[in-house]
Amino acid sequence: GDFRLAERLERRALAAARRLGPAAEDLVLRLRNNLGNVRWKLGDHDAAEAAYRENLDHCRATHDPWGEARASNNLGILAASRGDWRAARAPLAASLAITRRLGSRGEEAMARLNLAEVDEMLGDWPRARRQLDRALALGGDAGSPLRPALLARLASLARKRGEAHRAEELAGQALAAAGAADDRDLAAECHHLLGLAAKDREDYAAAAESFARAAELAADAGTRQVLARVRVSEADLALRRHDRAAAAAGAAAARALLAELPDRLTAAKLLSVEARLAALAEDEEEAARLFAEAAHALEALGTPYELGRLLYEWGLRTWNPELAGERLARALAVFDRLGAEAEARRARGVVERIALHRGRGGAHDPVLYGVIKVVNSSLDLQEVLDRAMDLALEHLEAERGMIVLHDPLTRDLRIAVSRNLHGAGEAGALSESVVRRVIDERAPVVAVDALTDRRFAGAESIVASSIRSILCVPLAIRDCPAGAIYVDHTRARHVFRQDDVDFLVAFADHAAVAIEKARLYGEQEAARRRLKEENEELRQEILASHHLGSLIGKSRAIEELKRTIERVAQSDSTVLLRGESGTGKGLVARIVHSISPRRGGPFVQFNCAALPETLVESELFGHEKGAFTGAAQQKPGRFELAHGGTIFLDEIGKVSRAVQAKLLRVVEDKEFERVGGTRTLTSDARILAATNLDLEDAIAKDEFREDLYYRLNIIPIVLPPLRGRREDLPWLVAHFLARIGRDLGQPRREIDPDVLDLFAAYPWPGNVRELEATIHRALVLSTADRLGRADFPWIALKSSDPAAAAAAAAAEAPLPDLAAGGYEEALARYDRRLLESALARSGGRLRETARLLGIARNTLKAKIERYGIER
């Protein structure tokens, strides 16, 4: 992705190859082709074309069909980059003919991919899809270097057809494949496609994030053409979000980049953005000039989809209804012909509204186009309601008015905005007497003299307010009643006429679109804010649980462990975590990853002892389709999934010798093959391994490979057992009391100091994991506000502290004579009491009782039968 460095190296290599004379002729051709590719990426199209044409002339003179096909293909791609789509077809078709004659599947697939892009831009989408399907059949298998570009092209085609979610799915697959191949240039284009698809479905936050990532990758790679396209898309997004300053900044950045690039298509798109900025600034003359210039450029390029989008935007900003209708109708015809369903639906809706309004007389054309401006200039619901109300009052010369919204489920009416109505009481009375009738009948109501109109006889609100003339029309969204717009007069000399009714009906159609769009946007924004807050809370929680502070304790052993982790995390060296079960090896592995430079990559954990040997290899390295019975499709392994991040191999000492041999290779060389595959794959994953076994003893018994041990044991970290850091018990206990109590929904409970003495005397064979389980069990079983020794009898019985054992014994009934088997009797009595207590707490449910006691259900059943306990 560093094209600037590549260009310097290619020039030096080409100069060296030329000095070698005729013997290096093939090398010169390859280097000159590569140099052309790099210069094309850097935006120097003239120099790239010169390199390609020199290669083409040479290959034709020497009758080299392979070189001629490659040079023709590159000349076609270069013409497409400039926007000369028609000119690109001839060299690409020539390349395809040669590759088909030679029988080169890969080269033919490449030529078809490039022809598909040309067909897509020229509007022949069925042909483009056929080219892509054939290219996929020829060279689009998983792992093929051509597959990411093919998926990206399919994503672009799906987006234009209006299939935003399908486009995002394909672009995501292309991005994953481009990332695996470390192709930053293609990854930038995939992020750009994801942003465009998100923008189409009005997920503006996701679109902005994708565009930012695309711009970052393109800037790093030095591909100015991709960067210019992204800047234009960012400016368009800013316009949709009503951020005029950001739109102007994005347009200026794109204009600076395009000054040195011959990309006529992106330049035409930029003109459209600049025209819309001029329209927002109310410079109608400049907006019309820029729109016209962009339309002329797109017509010359022969790109119908882009022309249709331009005509749609131009039509929305044309205040002459006849011209607006003509431009929108042209856009609709283009979208219908192409099969761009989403664009066609949107254009058809506007065309139909204009036709409806023009059929009603058109006496208020400027006002209705003002409503369209409201629809496209604000996404704030209250602002849309206020402006719609003010426009209606102003142009009908009405005294008072209100917009009432209707809940279709409860049938409640809510006054969203009102003007000059004296208090909620009057507005509510009017909404009940007039608005309810309009909503129920779905027809406008007009009264020239409301005081004498029999429909309103006895309406106290109308009589009390001396209302003379009333006009109320329904608001409908997708043919469902959504509310009404109400206006009235108290002056006898001003009454509503039929053209006022026609105007307000047409006005309500446009206002309903604006209100619904603003309402949905508000709901989406509120949902996004909630989701963002929840994501941030989860992120903070995850970070809090996976940083050095999550290692609880202040002992010397823990402090030394923290210092070691800090040093180790900054390198990519392999780490072997050793220690008894329950000491926190998994936690340490996550901490190493989360504070390392790889924290932005994946953390993949695999327990080597969790699966049989036949499945471990497939899980670690993946498998190809048909590699074994049940392998219905290709599956990536854990090392592939961990690319760019960290893989944690737990229980590494229990992996079989056969798998150890394959692990040795991936640890040494980062290379492996999938099960049933022949292609060598690489994985840039840092390896952390853990075991509680004595690996040196396993090596002596020939159960573990010595060479693998030395490869894994680059940086050994030994985790101390809990009995070796008893001074940490107070902090660990306090931590578990707080966390487990919170998880159980219990209030914070304290613990008696003498319980810590009890814990200090206990050997803790299960280490920290056993301590956590012990506190969890006590919090569940105990009802006391404060935990004491009596809440941990199982610890007291096993404690090495004589006082603790004596205290536990004192809590029991007097023991019988030990000489007569009293020990077994006391143990059985205590066991029975514990079972009865747990059964009482769980309501006699065996599954819950076994969970509380931490024993198997079969064991629990046997004990119940043995002691004759009734449930």
Side-chain angles (χ1 to χ4, degrees):
D2 190 344
F3 293 106
R4 299 180 190 88
L5 175 59
E7 197 266 348
R8 292 197 297 272
L9 293 172
E10 292 287 358
R11 280 193 288 105
R12 291 173 58 190
L14 181 58
R18 280 173 171 159
R19 289 196 296 270
L20 295 175
E25 188 175 278
D26 288 343
L27 180 58
V28 168
L29 280 173
R30 273 209 319 277
L31 289 168
R32 192 158 52 218
N33 179 76
N34 293 348
L35 183 58
N37 292 344
V38 171
R39 284 174 170 168
W40 164 54
K41 292 288 187 182
L42 290 171
D44 191 351
H45 288 198
D46 291 339
E49 183 177 9
Y52 296 150
R53 290 208 176 278
E54 188 175 355
N55 269 12
L56 181 62
D57 293 342
H58 178 86
C59 292
R60 283 175 174 171
T62 58
H63 305 288
D64 177 3
W66 294 98
E68 183 180 351
R70 187 173 297 110
S72 296
N73 181 71
N74 289 344
L75 284 168
I77 296 173
L78 188 62
S81 297
R82 289 169 164 165
D84 295 334
W85 305 102
R86 295 188 183 96
R89 181 180 287 283
L92 289 174
S95 176
L96 175 60
I98 296 171
T99 54
R100 291 184 67 184
R101 188 171 71 246
L102 294 172
S104 172
R105 293 171 61 88
E107 297 289 338
E108 181 184 346
M110 174 66 76
R112 289 188 181 278
L113 167 63
N114 296 327
L115 275 169
E117 181 179 2
V118 171
D119 290 332
E120 176 191 329
M121 298 307 300
L122 293 176
D124 193 347
W125 291 356
R127 184 173 179 177
R129 182 56 194 259
R130 289 196 298 272
Q131 296 280 23
L132 290 172
D133 288 342
R134 181 60 180 152
L136 278 168
L138 288 167
D141 295 337
S144 165
L146 200 59
R147 185 174 177 81
L150 286 166
L151 291 172
R153 196 79 265 141
L154 284 169
S156 175
L157 199 56
R159 185 187 74 84
K160 291 178 180 179
R161 288 186 178 276
E163 303 165 359
H165 290 289
R166 176 60 177 160
E168 285 183 298
E169 179 185 350
L170 289 166
Q173 294 175 13
L175 178 61
D182 199 21
D183 188 339
R184 282 184 285 171
D185 186 37
L186 182 56
E189 294 189 32
C190 292
H191 278 293
H192 186 211
L193 274 171
L194 286 168
L196 291 172
K199 184 180 67 172
D200 288 346
R201 56 181 179 79
E202 298 185 357
D203 187 350
Y204 296 147
E209 185 177 343
S210 294
F211 288 154
R213 182 59 180 148
E216 180 185 350
L217 288 169
D220 286 346
T223 49
R224 291 181 296 168
Q225 186 170 30
V226 176
L227 183 58
R229 292 172 182 170
V230 175
R231 294 301 184 210
V232 172
S233 296
E234 286 179 324
D236 176 77
L237 177 64
L239 280 174
R240 296 195 185 201
R241 302 177 86 171
H242 311 291
D243 190 344
R244 196 185 305 181
R255 177 62 64 193
L257 289 163
L258 288 170
E260 302 176 5
L261 293 171
D263 186 347
R264 293 192 292 162
L265 178 64
T266 307
K269 290 181 178 180
L270 177 58
L271 285 172
S272 173
V273 171
E274 292 170 337
R276 289 153 64 191
L277 283 168
L280 283 174
E282 300 185 357
D283 189 347
E284 295 182 13
E285 184 177 341
E286 178 65 6
R289 184 190 70 80
L290 291 168
F291 272 129
E293 186 178 344
H296 178 74
L298 292 172
E299 285 172 343
L301 292 173
T303 51
Y305 176 77
E306 283 69 23
L307 178 61
R309 288 185 66 108
L310 175 80
L311 290 170
Y312 176 80
E313 298 291 350
W314 194 1
L316 287 181
R317 289 158 183 82
T318 302
W319 305 117
N320 181 312
E322 292 200 5
L323 273 177
E326 179 187 336
R327 286 163 184 158
L328 289 163
R330 285 179 61 195
L332 176 58
V334 169
F335 295 142
D336 278 338
R337 179 174 63 80
L338 291 173
E341 295 179 1
E343 303 286 356
R345 281 195 302 270
R346 187 166 58 171
R348 186 175 292 108
V350 181
V351 169
E352 288 174 353
R353 288 188 180 90
I354 291 176
L356 177 65
H357 166 64
R358 291 172 67 183
R360 287 172 174 161
H364 301 275
D365 283 344
V367 183
L368 286 180
Y369 280 89
V371 177
I372 295 178
K373 192 172 182 179
V374 170
V375 173
N376 289 278
S377 64
S378 179
L379 287 172
D380 181 84
L381 179 58
Q382 195 57 49
E383 182 181 351
V384 170
L385 290 166
D386 287 336
R387 294 180 67 179
M389 187 77 262
D390 292 339
L391 277 169
L393 291 176
E394 177 185 351
H395 293 280
L396 289 172
E397 298 182 5
E399 293 179 25
R400 314 186 310 170
M402 62 181 172
I403 296 178
V404 180
L405 299 182
H406 169 256
D407 189 318
L409 295 178
T410 64
R411 301 192 77 247
D412 289 341
L413 299 180
R414 178 175 69 85
I415 299 168
V417 62
S418 66
R419 295 289 186 268
N420 302 325
L421 292 170
H422 304 296
E426 181 181 5
L430 287 169
S431 67
E432 287 297 329
S433 61
V434 180
V435 175
R436 181 72 70 184
R437 178 194 297 271
V438 169
I439 292 174
D440 289 344
E441 297 178 0
R442 299 193 186 184
V445 165
V446 61
V448 175
D449 189 348
L451 293 174
T452 61
D453 195 315
R454 285 181 298 176
R455 291 175 296 177
F456 308 116
E460 296 180 3
S461 58
I462 292 175
V463 175
S465 302
S466 301
I467 297 171
R468 293 289 181 180
S469 188
I470 291 173
L471 176 55
C472 186
V473 300
L475 281 170
I477 297 170
R478 300 188 186 94
D479 296 326
C480 295
I485 301 179
Y486 170 95
V487 293
D488 67 25
H489 285 293
T490 60
R491 293 171 294 177
R493 65 179 182 276
H494 191 116
V495 297
F496 293 116
R497 299 179 300 274
Q498 184 58 42
D499 64 334
D500 294 324
V501 178
D502 293 340
F503 163 74
L504 195 57
V505 169
F507 182 98
D509 287 343
H510 294 295
V513 174
I515 291 168
E516 177 68 359
K517 185 176 180 181
R519 184 187 66 79
L520 291 174
Y521 180 78
E523 291 178 355
Q524 288 175 354
E525 284 299 300
R528 286 192 195 107
R529 284 195 297 271
R530 289 195 302 271
L531 185 60
K532 184 177 180 181
E533 290 170 2
E534 291 172 4
N535 285 342
E536 182 60 24
E537 290 176 3
L538 288 172
R539 191 179 73 85
Q540 293 298 334
E541 185 176 335
I542 291 171
L543 288 175
S545 63
H546 295 154
H547 62 68
L548 286 171
S550 57
L551 287 174
I552 308 300
K554 296 187 177 181
S555 64
R556 182 176 178 180
I558 286 296
E559 293 300 325
E560 180 60 33
L561 178 61
K562 290 180 180 179
R563 287 193 292 270
T564 301
I565 291 173
E566 276 190 292
R567 291 192 299 269
V568 168
Q570 302 313 308
S571 72
D572 277 343
S573 303
T574 303
V575 176
L576 181 61
L577 300 169
R578 305 188 67 171
E580 296 177 9
S581 179
T583 51
K585 296 185 289 297
L587 174 62
V588 170
R590 285 191 174 274
I591 293 173
V592 170
H593 171 74
S594 65
I595 65 173
S596 74
R598 292 175 174 262
R599 57 185 171 272
F603 178 83
V604 177
Q605 183 171 350
F606 180 71
N607 189 323
C608 299
L611 294 173
E613 178 186 345
T614 53
L615 295 179
V616 168
E617 185 178 350
S618 171
E619 284 294 320
L620 284 175
F621 308 115
H623 63 252
E624 298 290 351
K625 181 178 179 180
F628 49 83
T629 302
Q633 60 185 4
Q634 185 191 77
K635 176 183 176 181
R638 303 298 175 97
F639 275 97
E640 281 182 80
L641 297 175
H643 182 77
T646 304
I647 185 169
F648 174 46
L649 303 175
D650 200 7
E651 303 287 0
I652 190 68
K654 296 182 181 179
V655 73
S656 70
R657 292 277 298 186
V659 176
Q660 288 176 32
K662 296 195 173 185
L663 274 176
L664 178 63
R665 181 187 177 196
V666 75
V667 173
E668 282 186 332
D669 305 324
K670 307 291 186 181
E671 293 181 348
F672 61 95
E673 286 91 30
R674 296 194 189 105
V675 176
T678 57
R679 189 164 60 91
T680 299
L681 304 175
T682 60
S683 173
D684 176 25
R686 182 184 190 177
I687 299 173
L688 308 179
T691 184
N692 60 359
L693 299 180
D694 185 343
L695 291 184
E696 290 80 0
D697 182 58
I699 291 170
K701 295 178 180 177
D702 201 27
E703 295 173 352
F704 198 84
R705 292 178 65 108
E706 188 173 8
D707 47 5
L708 177 59
Y709 168 75
Y710 289 123
R711 286 294 180 187
L712 293 174
N713 199 40
I714 302 296
I715 300 180
I717 297 179
V718 180
L719 275 64
L722 183 54
R723 62 182 174 275
R725 55 184 187 106
R726 297 179 193 270
E727 59 268 42
D728 289 334
L729 280 169
W731 286 277
L732 288 166
V733 169
H735 169 72
F736 288 134
L737 281 173
R739 200 199 73 197
I740 298 171
R742 183 177 66 248
D743 293 344
L744 294 174
Q746 297 180 354
R748 176 69 180 267
R749 286 200 264 180
E750 300 298 328
I751 194 166
D752 288 338
D754 57 348
V755 174
L756 295 176
D757 297 334
L758 174 68
F759 284 177
Y762 182 64
W764 298 108
N767 292 292
V768 179
R769 186 182 294 134
E770 184 183 3
L771 174 63
E772 180 181 7
T774 295
I775 294 173
H776 193 146
R777 186 186 306 180
L779 287 174
V780 170
L781 296 178
S782 175
T783 58
D785 294 334
R786 190 178 185 87
L787 299 179
R789 281 178 178 258
D791 295 306
F792 302 94
W794 61 94
I795 297 294
L797 286 172
K798 299 177 183 178
S799 173
S800 59
D801 182 1
E812 301 290 330
L815 293 173
D817 184 7
L818 293 179
Y823 174 76
E824 293 295 335
E825 183 181 338
L827 202 58
R829 185 166 60 249
Y830 172 74
D831 195 17
R832 179 189 179 110
R833 287 181 58 193
L834 193 60
L835 290 175
E836 289 174 340
S837 175
L839 283 166
R841 286 183 179 277
S842 64
R845 295 189 298 275
L846 291 182
R847 184 187 300 276
E848 181 66 15
T849 304
R851 189 188 66 80
L852 288 175
L853 294 172
I855 62 177
R857 289 179 64 189
N858 289 339
T859 303
L860 175 61
K861 288 179 180 178
K863 287 178 177 287
I864 289 173
E865 292 177 2
R866 174 185 171 190
Y867 299 134
I869 299 174
E870 296 183 359
R871 293 190 289 123

